[in-house]
Amino acid sequence: MSQSGKIFRARNVPVATLRRLRVIPSYFFLIWRWGMWLYAFIVIVFSQPSYIDTPGTNYHTMAALLLTITFIETLIVTLYAPVLQIVFPRLLSRASRQRKKQGRREHLHEQLEDGAEILPPFVQTRNHYWNIAIYSMDVVICGLVMYFSGPFSNPPFGLGSPFYRYGMSTVFAAASAFSYKGGLLAALGYNLFALLGMFVHAPGAVPYTPNAVDVVGSLVDTPILAVLVAYLSNLLENYAHSKRQERENARTQAALVHIGETLLKSTGDRQELLQRSIKPIQHGRFDRLTIALVDLLHDEDVPIGPRAQQSKTIICTESTISTDALPDDSENLIQKVLHNKQKLLTFDPLKNEQSGIARLYVPLHIDGHVQLVLGAESLRMTPFKPQHEKFLTIAGTQLLVALENIRLAEQTVQLAADAERGRIARDIHDGIAQLTYMLSLQAETCEAQAQRIIEASEEDAELIAPLAERLGKMVTISKQALWETRNYMFSLKPLMSGSTTLTQMLDNQLREFQAISDLPTHLTVEGSDQDYEEQRLHSRRYAQIGTTFFRIVQEALTNAYKHAQATRLEVCLRYHADHIEVDICDNGRGMPTRLNGTPDIKESYLAVEEPHILSGHGMGGMRERAAELGGQFNVLTTPAGGTTIRVSIPL
């Protein structure tokens, strides 16, 4: 047994103790009713010689009839009492026992969680008015029995009836079920039959003049009984509720300790963490538990689409019941909670059953965004209660803390990797990049000197020409080496770190490209990122958008230099309310077109013969980068020549 179970076992109140507290009023009611029926039976049997039949009344027949009616009534009340399974379990048929066993199995959570409620003496239905009608009918029957049995003794009403104490049990039952109001109303109704017997004597009654003792004795007992029973029932209910709360707190603390132990043993994998923590949360409380994690590595400012939203949600489910008995609609309910950002509490009654399907889905937020959803489903008699929501909230908060620790650990690793890449980029810049740049300058100087010698001396031109050609290739290769080196530097170091904006990043990129390629470049900016919210500018998605634009512009510039034979490049950056758009335009030869008029990108690559600076993954890579963020990628050509690459990515 785990340490948590040892800690909280002493504080756990046994379920049997709560069950005994719940059924105390019912026990007393049944004992009272059967005892008073037996008392009436003894009184009638042993007082039989004193009864004198009258022309209108046969006391023997009346006594037998009243005893039979009260016996049948008491037997029916007993057989349909909620405590029948405890008092007379063997009176049930096998089918009834199986149904009750099935009901106990289906409503195990109900018995554990609603154990503080006092069981009513009579059968209890879902309809409150039916319950009132049942208790009212019992008051009427007991009152009529008392009224017609009044002539058996003196006085011929109320206290003189052998069934007077038997009928008082109906006041006991009403006070137990409906507290003070119900008990006093039942006492009033019962006393009305006593007053009826006082002023309108029952058949067979002898003339009698009421006195104060008989009147007070017949009317004061039932109100006092109603008040006492209601008071004691409230005390029992409050005591049982406190014990129930103590036991529930102990179970909750033990469960939370178990969950905490599970989280401490967790690894850095989110999926594994959810799988290991779902059982301790679900065990003994819910028939099915679903945990949905919205991936914290993705930004949730604006959903990209249904498929992207689904791909960023990790769902784990643990169930102890089949889908036939408890249909699984958790995915749709989770999507509804993610959309509304509010808890979902429903209860669907089952046909021809007393139970229903209770569902509770609780969202947990971080910075206003839903990051975790815990969904509980069970077959119950009633909907889930606030303590269930509280438990799921506490357990979910612990789980969120563990997930946040995983994210911080990953972020620490990422920051360390970024720092190391930054160091390597600085070393490349201060070392090999500078040497390559000097080599490129020296090669260009030598090539220019060789060209001047060729132009100055025709005799040396034949000897110097091969050298000039090799020097030209060396210049191209050195520029390619410098280009690749600086590409590595940009790939290693963060692109939008600190206060660097997207506009500044692209401007620096164009300056770098112009310095290497000697192609004039120009950046045009429409709008400003200052119109966006501060939270959006520092979000992870905005950083991803900046990185994607940098890589696409880098590839487009390189392809233009490599294939287009352009003499000028234009980049236009447009900030819109819901998206950002970038155009990369050149004045080169354009692209060959297919028969349908679309650009033939592959053919344009194959047409290149001259050695140029090599590049990366081409148009396919740029299109994939844009699609990853839900953006659009288009290649446009004009009849006058030139190519425009247009990329649009939603915020």
Side-chain angles (χ1 to χ4, degrees), residues 270-288:
R270 292 178 175 82
Q271 184 80 24
E272 182 181 353
L273 175 62
L274 296 181
Q275 291 290 355
R276 295 181 62 178
S277 59
I278 192 171
K279 287 186 177 180
I281 300 176
Q282 181 265 345
H283 179 68
R285 290 181 176 272
F286 312 108
D287 290 334
R288 178 182 295 132

Side-chain angles (χ1 to χ4, degrees), residues 193-441:
F193 286 96
L195 293 175
L196 179 64
M198 183 187 308
F199 296 104
V200 181
H201 296 313
V206 297
Y208 174 78
T209 302
N211 58 65
V213 175
D214 295 336
V215 173
V216 173
S218 299
L219 300 179
V220 75
D221 293 341
T222 51
I224 294 176
L225 176 65
V227 173
L228 290 177
V229 172
Y231 177 74
L232 293 176
S233 296
N234 287 338
L235 285 181
L236 284 174
E237 186 170 357
N238 293 334
Y239 180 73
H241 180 75
S242 64
K243 291 297 182 182
R244 161 70 180 83
Q245 192 65 35
E246 180 182 351
R247 185 174 62 85
E248 178 64 22
N249 291 338
R251 291 180 64 243
T252 300
Q253 292 176 15
L256 293 177
V257 170
H258 190 190
I259 295 170
E261 293 175 351
T262 303
L263 296 179
L264 289 176
K265 299 176 183 177
S266 64
T267 61
D269 184 76
R270 292 178 175 82
Q271 184 80 24
E272 182 181 353
L273 175 62
L274 296 181
Q275 291 290 355
R276 295 181 62 178
S277 59
I278 192 171
K279 287 186 177 180
I281 300 176
Q282 181 265 345
H283 179 68
R285 290 181 176 272
F286 312 108
D287 290 334
R288 178 182 295 132
L289 182 69
T290 303
I291 300 179
L293 171 65
V294 180
D295 195 349
L296 298 177
L297 293 179
H298 294 79
D299 185 76
E300 297 296 327
D301 290 337
V302 178
I304 299 173
R307 294 183 60 185
Q309 181 74 16
Q310 185 177 4
S311 65
K312 295 184 293 183
T313 304
I314 303 174
I315 299 178
C316 296
T317 302
E318 181 72 20
S319 180
T320 58
I321 194 170
S322 65
T323 55
D324 295 334
L326 186 60
D328 187 5
D329 193 28
S330 56
E331 292 189 5
N332 294 331
L333 296 177
I334 288 172
Q335 293 299 328
K336 185 176 181 180
V337 172
L338 291 176
H339 181 265
N340 297 331
K341 296 184 179 182
Q342 295 180 353
K343 72 174 182 180
L344 178 66
L345 179 63
T346 62
F347 183 78
D348 301 324
L350 298 176
K351 294 182 179 180
N352 302 324
E353 296 286 345
Q354 293 184 352
S355 61
I357 300 177
R359 293 185 174 93
L360 173 62
Y361 283 75
V362 179
L364 298 176
H365 303 78
I366 294 181
D367 296 332
H369 301 293
V370 178
Q371 299 293 354
L372 192 69
V373 178
L374 276 75
E377 301 180 8
S378 291
L379 291 175
R380 293 171 49 87
M381 297 288 290
T382 59
F384 284 119
K385 297 187 176 181
Q387 59 260 31
H388 300 103
E389 180 182 354
K390 181 179 179 181
F391 174 77
L392 289 179
T393 302
I394 296 175
T397 303
Q398 287 188 342
L399 188 56
L400 268 185
V401 171
L403 293 169
E404 183 68 10
N405 290 337
I406 293 177
R407 188 189 69 82
L408 292 176
E410 293 176 348
Q411 188 177 23
T412 301
V413 174
Q414 183 64 35
L415 291 175
D418 290 342
E420 181 64 17
R421 285 196 291 266
R423 184 191 65 80
I424 296 174
R426 289 192 300 271
D427 291 344
I428 292 176
H429 178 271
D430 297 338
I432 189 172
Q434 296 294 336
L435 295 176
T436 306
Y437 179 67
M438 295 301 298
L439 177 62
S440 176
L441 290 179

Side-chain angles (χ1 to χ4, degrees), residues 15-30 80-87 100 110-111 114-125 131 135 172-179 229 233-234 236-238 240 381:
V15 179
T17 301
L18 294 177
R19 187 184 297 117
R20 294 190 189 100
L21 292 174
R22 296 172 63 198
V23 300
I24 285 178
S26 299
Y27 281 149
F28 274 73
F29 166 76
L30 293 177
Y80 284 91
V83 295
L84 176 62
Q85 57 184 345
I86 302 174
V87 181
K100 285 197 171 288
E110 199 75 20
Q111 295 175 0
D114 299 333
E117 297 179 0
I118 301 299
L119 289 180
F122 292 171
V123 62
Q124 190 175 27
T125 66
N131 295 333
Y135 283 85
F172 187 107
S176 299
F178 300 101
S179 190
V229 172
S233 296
N234 287 338
L236 284 174
E237 186 170 357
N238 293 334
M381 297 288 290

